[in-house]
Amino acid sequence: MLKETPNLAPDGQPFRLITLRNGAGMVVTLMDWGATLLSCRVPLKDGSIRETLLGCASPEHYLQQSAFMGATVGRYANRIAGGKLTVGGETLQLDVNQGENQLHGGPEGFDKRRWRIAVQNEQEVIYELDSCDGDQGFPGKLHATARYALTEDNRISIELRATVDKPCPVNLTNHAYFNLDSVQNDVRQHKLQLLADSYLPVEANGLPAGDLKKVGGSSFDFREPKPIGQDFLNDADQQATKGYDHAFLLQAKGDLSQPVARVWSADGELEMVVYTTAPALQCYTGNYLAGTPARDRESYSDWNGVALESGFLPDSPNHPEWPQPSCWLKPTEAYLSITEYQFLPR
C-alpha cells in the first residue's frame, strides 16, 4: 500500500509511505525520503501488537532530528577521519559534518535524499538512488538500490547494492533504533548477545583509538547473553562515548546463515535475531538520543533505543590492515550487503 502525505518534503513533493504486511500479522512502514524504516509492529503470543522501532510522530518530524533514525545511510556509513581519502596517491577532501570528520556520508548524505520507488507491493519495496561524481566529495558516479522485504517468518530483509564508475569506498547500512519493550524506555534493561571476539576502541569522536581488542574479560564481552546495563560505563572505552558506540568484528565473517546478535525485551516476550553478510556490527546504545522527536511523546531520552548497524569498521578506507574485506568498490565489482532482523514472540 502506498500513501502520499499532505505535508511536503524539502523537494516540494509529498512523502510516500509504503506498508508491508505478512500472514503472521506483522506490519512494517517505510518512506521514500531517506529510504527510511518508520515502524515495525510485531504481534505477540497474547494477541497484542508491539512497536519495536523508535520513530517520529510524522514524516516531516524526521527532518528535525540528527539521529539518522531508521534511514538508509551512505555513501559511507560511520566515520572517516579528517574526511580524507587517498586514491592513487592523491588525497581527496570529503565534505565534513562532525567537526573535521565525515559521519554517515556527509552533511547531505543518502539519509537526506528522496529515493525512487522502483518496485512496490505488500511484501517488498525496492528504492533506487543516483549519486553524482563529487557528491559530498566522493569520487565517481554511484548507483544504489535498497530492497526492504518482509518475510513470512517475521524478518525484515535489507539488501543494499551499489555500483561505481571510479574506485570509491562504499558502506551502506540502515540506522534503525530498536526497543522491544511495550513501553519504550531504558533499553539497557534488554538482554543482548553479540557473537564477536573483538571490538574497536574509539576516541570520544568515534574514530579508532588503536587496534582491535579482544572482548574477553572486558565489558564488551556479549558472547553470552547479558543485560546491556550490566557492565555499562564500567571502563574508559565506554566512558569516552557515554556508553556503547563501538564496532564489533563478527564471528560469522559474512555467513548470512549464522546469527550475529540477539536482543531480548526486558519482559522476555520478544526476541530479535540479527543476521548479516557484513564483517562488523556497530552497537550504539543511543547515548545522545535526548531531545530527538518521538512518536508517542515529545522527545526520546538517552538510552531509549539500541542501533545494531551492519557494515565495515569505522574509518576503514584508511585502515587496509584490518582483518575484513576491502571497503573499496571498483567499477568492475558490485557491492552487496544483506542484513536481516527477525522477530520471535516468546
Side-chain angles (χ1 to χ4, degrees):
M1 184 176 75
L2 188 148
K3 173 186 171 187
E4 294 190 344
T5 63
N7 293 318
L8 304 182
D11 64 357
Q13 299 297 312
F15 299 96
R16 295 179 178 91
L17 310 188
I18 286 174
T19 302
L20 310 180
R21 304 176 189 273
N22 70 6
M26 187 167 152
V27 181
V28 173
T29 308
L30 302 103
M31 70 173 169
D32 58 346
W33 193 263
T36 300
L37 273 171
L38 302 180
S39 171
C40 174
R41 293 166 58 80
V42 180
L44 300 188
K45 294 218 164 166
D46 64 3
S48 64
I49 303 292
R50 186 167 292 187
E51 176 63 71
T52 62
L53 288 182
L54 301 195
C56 300
S58 59
E60 61 271 20
H61 289 148
Y62 283 81
L63 307 177
Q64 302 165 14
Q65 54 86 34
S66 56
F68 301 90
M69 196 176 292
T72 302
V73 175
R75 279 187 200 193
Y76 194 89
N78 221 310
R79 293 161 179 85
I80 297 179
K84 287 182 167 53
L85 297 176
T86 301
V87 186
E90 177 189 0
T91 298
L92 296 181
Q93 179 61 57
L94 306 178
D95 295 354
V96 298
N97 58 327
Q98 193 178 59
E100 63 180 16
N101 307 308
Q102 191 188 83
L103 172 66
H104 294 327
E108 297 296 328
F110 292 176
D111 60 297
K112 297 176 180 67
R113 313 282 175 92
R114 184 182 297 279
W115 293 61
R116 297 186 304 276
I117 300 171
V119 174
Q120 179 258 320
N121 54 55
E122 281 213 330
Q123 287 73 51
E124 68 172 353
V125 56
I126 299 176
Y127 296 108
E128 290 185 331
L129 185 71
D130 292 306
S131 175
C132 65
D133 186 10
D135 186 3
Q136 308 299 291
F138 286 103
K141 289 191 283 188
L142 177 143
H143 176 73
T145 63
R147 176 183 183 264
Y148 287 83
L150 177 58
T151 68
E152 287 303 306
D153 63 350
N154 281 7
R155 295 179 194 230
I156 300 176
S157 177
I158 305 170
E159 292 184 17
L160 303 172
R161 298 176 182 267
T163 55
V164 292
D165 68 355
K166 293 181 183 176
C168 182
V170 177
N171 188 30
L172 306 178
T173 197
N174 181 276
H175 206 302
Y177 292 85
F178 299 96
N179 190 311
L180 307 185
D181 282 336
S182 56
V183 179
Q184 293 179 330
N185 287 327
D186 198 326
V187 79
R188 292 175 293 181
Q189 298 170 25
H190 286 41
K191 271 201 308 188
L192 171 66
Q193 182 179 34
L194 269 173
L195 296 166
D197 297 321
S198 56
Y199 75 98
L200 187 66
V202 293
E203 307 284 359
N205 60 10
L207 288 169
D211 294 330
L212 289 154
K213 286 185 181 178
K214 295 295 186 183
V215 300
S218 79
S219 69
F220 291 82
D221 193 350
F222 285 93
R223 290 174 294 183
E224 294 297 324
K226 69 178 181 182
I228 292 172
Q230 179 173 306
D231 299 316
F232 204 74
L233 294 177
N234 275 11
D235 55 66
D237 282 347
Q238 279 193 74
Q239 290 159 13
T241 53
K242 207 175 142 189
Y244 296 105
D245 190 5
H246 298 78
F248 291 75
L249 196 63
L250 301 169
Q251 294 172 354
K253 298 185 186 301
D255 183 350
L256 191 62
S257 69
Q258 300 296 315
V260 297
R262 292 182 173 88
V263 184
W264 291 266
S265 60
D267 62 10
E269 292 188 16
L270 188 59
E271 177 187 356
M272 182 179 77
V273 187
V274 186
Y275 303 84
T276 186
T277 61
L281 206 62
Q282 182 88 9
C283 177
Y284 173 47
T285 45
N287 311 330
Y288 294 94
L289 273 175
T292 302
R295 180 189 294 111
D296 55 354
R297 69 197 93 151
E298 184 176 339
S299 63
Y300 289 113
S301 302
D302 292 341
W303 312 305
N304 274 173
V306 60
L308 297 168
E309 310 153 55
S310 58
F312 295 103
L313 298 168
D315 201 30
S316 284
N318 298 309
H319 290 276
E321 75 275 12
W322 283 336
Q324 61 177 359
S326 174
C327 67
W328 285 85
L329 185 65
K330 300 173 184 173
T332 55
E333 300 169 337
Y335 172 94
L336 171 62
S337 181
I338 303 174
T339 300
E340 296 178 347
Y341 302 98
Q342 183 177 27
F343 297 87
L344 303 173
R346 293 302 184 195

mmCIF file with all atom_site columns, all heavy atoms in Angstrom, residues 19 65 127 147 218-219 237 260 286 293 340 345:
data_model
loop_
_atom_site.group_PDB
_atom_site.id
_atom_site.type_symbol
_atom_site.label_atom_id
_atom_site.label_alt_id
_atom_site.label_comp_id
_atom_site.label_asym_id
_atom_site.label_entity_id
_atom_site.label_seq_id
_atom_site.pdbx_PDB_ins_code
_atom_site.Cartn_x
_atom_site.Cartn_y
_atom_site.Cartn_z
_atom_site.occupancy
_atom_site.B_iso_or_equiv
_atom_site.pdbx_formal_charge
_atom_site.auth_seq_id
_atom_site.auth_comp_id
_atom_site.auth_asym_id
_atom_site.auth_atom_id
_atom_site.pdbx_PDB_model_num
ATOM 1  N N   . THR A 1 19  ? 3.533  0.415   3.080  1.00 0.00 ? 19  THR A N   1
ATOM 2  C CA  . THR A 1 19  ? 3.270  -0.544  4.156  1.00 0.00 ? 19  THR A CA  1
ATOM 3  C C   . THR A 1 19  ? 3.460  -1.961  3.641  1.00 0.00 ? 19  THR A C   1
ATOM 4  O O   . THR A 1 19  ? 2.904  -2.335  2.596  1.00 0.00 ? 19  THR A O   1
ATOM 5  C CB  . THR A 1 19  ? 1.838  -0.375  4.707  1.00 0.00 ? 19  THR A CB  1
ATOM 6  O OG1 . THR A 1 19  ? 1.684  0.969   5.167  1.00 0.00 ? 19  THR A OG1 1
ATOM 7  C CG2 . THR A 1 19  ? 1.588  -1.330  5.856  1.00 0.00 ? 19  THR A CG2 1
ATOM 8  N N   . GLN A 1 65  ? 15.473 15.847  13.208 1.00 0.00 ? 65  GLN A N   1
ATOM 9  C CA  . GLN A 1 65  ? 16.315 15.024  14.088 1.00 0.00 ? 65  GLN A CA  1
ATOM 10 C C   . GLN A 1 65  ? 17.639 14.733  13.410 1.00 0.00 ? 65  GLN A C   1
ATOM 11 O O   . GLN A 1 65  ? 17.733 14.721  12.187 1.00 0.00 ? 65  GLN A O   1
ATOM 12 C CB  . GLN A 1 65  ? 15.600 13.728  14.496 1.00 0.00 ? 65  GLN A CB  1
ATOM 13 C CG  . GLN A 1 65  ? 15.065 12.871  13.350 1.00 0.00 ? 65  GLN A CG  1
ATOM 14 C CD  . GLN A 1 65  ? 16.070 11.907  12.764 1.00 0.00 ? 65  GLN A CD  1
ATOM 15 O OE1 . GLN A 1 65  ? 16.920 11.375  13.471 1.00 0.00 ? 65  GLN A OE1 1
ATOM 16 N NE2 . GLN A 1 65  ? 15.987 11.647  11.472 1.00 0.00 ? 65  GLN A NE2 1
ATOM 17 N N   . TYR A 1 127 ? 14.043 0.607   -3.551 1.00 0.00 ? 127 TYR A N   1
ATOM 18 C CA  . TYR A 1 127 ? 14.353 2.012   -3.790 1.00 0.00 ? 127 TYR A CA  1
ATOM 19 C C   . TYR A 1 127 ? 15.624 2.123   -4.606 1.00 0.00 ? 127 TYR A C   1
ATOM 20 O O   . TYR A 1 127 ? 16.518 1.268   -4.513 1.00 0.00 ? 127 TYR A O   1
ATOM 21 C CB  . TYR A 1 127 ? 14.574 2.742   -2.456 1.00 0.00 ? 127 TYR A CB  1
ATOM 22 C CG  . TYR A 1 127 ? 13.374 2.814   -1.546 1.00 0.00 ? 127 TYR A CG  1
ATOM 23 C CD1 . TYR A 1 127 ? 13.316 2.051   -0.385 1.00 0.00 ? 127 TYR A CD1 1
ATOM 24 C CD2 . TYR A 1 127 ? 12.312 3.673   -1.821 1.00 0.00 ? 127 TYR A CD2 1
ATOM 25 C CE1 . TYR A 1 127 ? 12.226 2.125   0.479  1.00 0.00 ? 127 TYR A CE1 1
ATOM 26 C CE2 . TYR A 1 127 ? 11.213 3.760   -0.963 1.00 0.00 ? 127 TYR A CE2 1
ATOM 27 C CZ  . TYR A 1 127 ? 11.178 2.991   0.183  1.00 0.00 ? 127 TYR A CZ  1
ATOM 28 O OH  . TYR A 1 127 ? 10.109 3.072   1.032  1.00 0.00 ? 127 TYR A OH  1
ATOM 29 N N   . ARG A 1 147 ? 16.619 -2.753  -1.105 1.00 0.00 ? 147 ARG A N   1
ATOM 30 C CA  . ARG A 1 147 ? 15.426 -3.612  -1.114 1.00 0.00 ? 147 ARG A CA  1
ATOM 31 C C   . ARG A 1 147 ? 15.059 -3.969  0.323  1.00 0.00 ? 147 ARG A C   1
ATOM 32 O O   . ARG A 1 147 ? 15.859 -4.541  1.054  1.00 0.00 ? 147 ARG A O   1
ATOM 33 C CB  . ARG A 1 147 ? 15.680 -4.891  -1.902 1.00 0.00 ? 147 ARG A CB  1
ATOM 34 C CG  . ARG A 1 147 ? 14.497 -5.874  -1.873 1.00 0.00 ? 147 ARG A CG  1
ATOM 35 C CD  . ARG A 1 147 ? 14.840 -7.160  -2.626 1.00 0.00 ? 147 ARG A CD  1
ATOM 36 N NE  . ARG A 1 147 ? 13.711 -8.085  -2.674 1.00 0.00 ? 147 ARG A NE  1
ATOM 37 C CZ  . ARG A 1 147 ? 13.532 -9.098  -1.826 1.00 0.00 ? 147 ARG A CZ  1
ATOM 38 N NH1 . ARG A 1 147 ? 14.437 -9.326  -0.854 1.00 0.00 ? 147 ARG A NH1 1
ATOM 39 N NH2 . ARG A 1 147 ? 12.491 -9.895  -1.932 1.00 0.00 ? 147 ARG A NH2 1
ATOM 40 N N   . SER A 1 218 ? 36.351 -8.236  29.392 1.00 0.00 ? 218 SER A N   1
ATOM 41 C CA  . SER A 1 218 ? 36.001 -6.811  29.359 1.00 0.00 ? 218 SER A CA  1
ATOM 42 C C   . SER A 1 218 ? 34.482 -6.631  29.381 1.00 0.00 ? 218 SER A C   1
ATOM 43 O O   . SER A 1 218 ? 33.717 -7.582  29.241 1.00 0.00 ? 218 SER A O   1
ATOM 44 C CB  . SER A 1 218 ? 36.567 -6.149  28.091 1.00 0.00 ? 218 SER A CB  1
ATOM 45 O OG  . SER A 1 218 ? 35.750 -6.441  26.969 1.00 0.00 ? 218 SER A OG  1
ATOM 46 N N   . SER A 1 219 ? 34.049 -5.381  29.517 1.00 0.00 ? 219 SER A N   1
ATOM 47 C CA  . SER A 1 219 ? 32.611 -5.069  29.495 1.00 0.00 ? 219 SER A CA  1
ATOM 48 C C   . SER A 1 219 ? 32.016 -5.263  28.102 1.00 0.00 ? 219 SER A C   1
ATOM 49 O O   . SER A 1 219 ? 30.800 -5.212  27.930 1.00 0.00 ? 219 SER A O   1
ATOM 50 C CB  . SER A 1 219 ? 32.382 -3.630  29.952 1.00 0.00 ? 219 SER A CB  1
ATOM 51 O OG  . SER A 1 219 ? 32.882 -2.717  28.992 1.00 0.00 ? 219 SER A OG  1
ATOM 52 N N   . ASP A 1 237 ? 36.898 2.859   27.800 1.00 0.00 ? 237 ASP A N   1
ATOM 53 C CA  . ASP A 1 237 ? 36.451 2.789   26.404 1.00 0.00 ? 237 ASP A CA  1
ATOM 54 C C   . ASP A 1 237 ? 34.979 3.180   26.281 1.00 0.00 ? 237 ASP A C   1
ATOM 55 O O   . ASP A 1 237 ? 34.587 3.859   25.326 1.00 0.00 ? 237 ASP A O   1
ATOM 56 C CB  . ASP A 1 237 ? 36.677 1.383   25.834 1.00 0.00 ? 237 ASP A CB  1
ATOM 57 C CG  . ASP A 1 237 ? 38.133 1.149   25.458 1.00 0.00 ? 237 ASP A CG  1
ATOM 58 O OD1 . ASP A 1 237 ? 38.903 2.135   25.412 1.00 0.00 ? 237 ASP A OD1 1
ATOM 59 O OD2 . ASP A 1 237 ? 38.500 -0.016  25.206 1.00 0.00 ? 237 ASP A OD2 1
ATOM 60 N N   . VAL A 1 260 ? 24.360 -13.178 14.224 1.00 0.00 ? 260 VAL A N   1
ATOM 61 C CA  . VAL A 1 260 ? 25.468 -12.353 14.736 1.00 0.00 ? 260 VAL A CA  1
ATOM 62 C C   . VAL A 1 260 ? 25.081 -11.651 16.039 1.00 0.00 ? 260 VAL A C   1
ATOM 63 O O   . VAL A 1 260 ? 25.960 -11.226 16.797 1.00 0.00 ? 260 VAL A O   1
ATOM 64 C CB  . VAL A 1 260 ? 25.921 -11.304 13.701 1.00 0.00 ? 260 VAL A CB  1
ATOM 65 C CG1 . VAL A 1 260 ? 26.464 -11.999 12.461 1.00 0.00 ? 260 VAL A CG1 1
ATOM 66 C CG2 . VAL A 1 260 ? 24.795 -10.339 13.330 1.00 0.00 ? 260 VAL A CG2 1
ATOM 67 N N   . GLY A 1 286 ? 22.294 4.502   21.946 1.00 0.00 ? 286 GLY A N   1
ATOM 68 C CA  . GLY A 1 286 ? 21.505 5.729   21.965 1.00 0.00 ? 286 GLY A CA  1
ATOM 69 C C   . GLY A 1 286 ? 21.968 6.723   23.018 1.00 0.00 ? 286 GLY A C   1
ATOM 70 O O   . GLY A 1 286 ? 21.146 7.390   23.662 1.00 0.00 ? 286 GLY A O   1
ATOM 71 N N   . PRO A 1 293 ? 12.882 13.995  18.432 1.00 0.00 ? 293 PRO A N   1
ATOM 72 C CA  . PRO A 1 293 ? 11.416 13.923  18.393 1.00 0.00 ? 293 PRO A CA  1
ATOM 73 C C   . PRO A 1 293 ? 10.926 12.479  18.430 1.00 0.00 ? 293 PRO A C   1
ATOM 74 O O   . PRO A 1 293 ? 11.466 11.616  17.731 1.00 0.00 ? 293 PRO A O   1
ATOM 75 C CB  . PRO A 1 293 ? 11.060 14.589  17.066 1.00 0.00 ? 293 PRO A CB  1
ATOM 76 C CG  . PRO A 1 293 ? 12.244 15.418  16.708 1.00 0.00 ? 293 PRO A CG  1
ATOM 77 C CD  . PRO A 1 293 ? 13.437 14.730  17.287 1.00 0.00 ? 293 PRO A CD  1
ATOM 78 N N   . GLU A 1 340 ? 19.423 -8.985  8.022  1.00 0.00 ? 340 GLU A N   1
ATOM 79 C CA  . GLU A 1 340 ? 18.059 -9.410  8.367  1.00 0.00 ? 340 GLU A CA  1
ATOM 80 C C   . GLU A 1 340 ? 17.839 -9.278  9.867  1.00 0.00 ? 340 GLU A C   1
ATOM 81 O O   . GLU A 1 340 ? 18.702 -9.657  10.657 1.00 0.00 ? 340 GLU A O   1
ATOM 82 C CB  . GLU A 1 340 ? 17.828 -10.861 7.935  1.00 0.00 ? 340 GLU A CB  1
ATOM 83 C CG  . GLU A 1 340 ? 17.911 -11.049 6.428  1.00 0.00 ? 340 GLU A CG  1
ATOM 84 C CD  . GLU A 1 340 ? 17.725 -12.489 5.976  1.00 0.00 ? 340 GLU A CD  1
ATOM 85 O OE1 . GLU A 1 340 ? 17.780 -13.398 6.829  1.00 0.00 ? 340 GLU A OE1 1
ATOM 86 O OE2 . GLU A 1 340 ? 17.532 -12.689 4.772  1.00 0.00 ? 340 GLU A OE2 1
ATOM 87 N N   . PRO A 1 345 ? 8.252  -13.818 18.778 1.00 0.00 ? 345 PRO A N   1
ATOM 88 C CA  . PRO A 1 345 ? 7.467  -13.724 20.009 1.00 0.00 ? 345 PRO A CA  1
ATOM 89 C C   . PRO A 1 345 ? 7.730  -14.928 20.891 1.00 0.00 ? 345 PRO A C   1
ATOM 90 O O   . PRO A 1 345 ? 7.884  -16.058 20.410 1.00 0.00 ? 345 PRO A O   1
ATOM 91 C CB  . PRO A 1 345 ? 6.016  -13.699 19.511 1.00 0.00 ? 345 PRO A CB  1
ATOM 92 C CG  . PRO A 1 345 ? 6.107  -13.286 18.078 1.00 0.00 ? 345 PRO A CG  1
ATOM 93 C CD  . PRO A 1 345 ? 7.403  -13.850 17.577 1.00 0.00 ? 345 PRO A CD  1
#
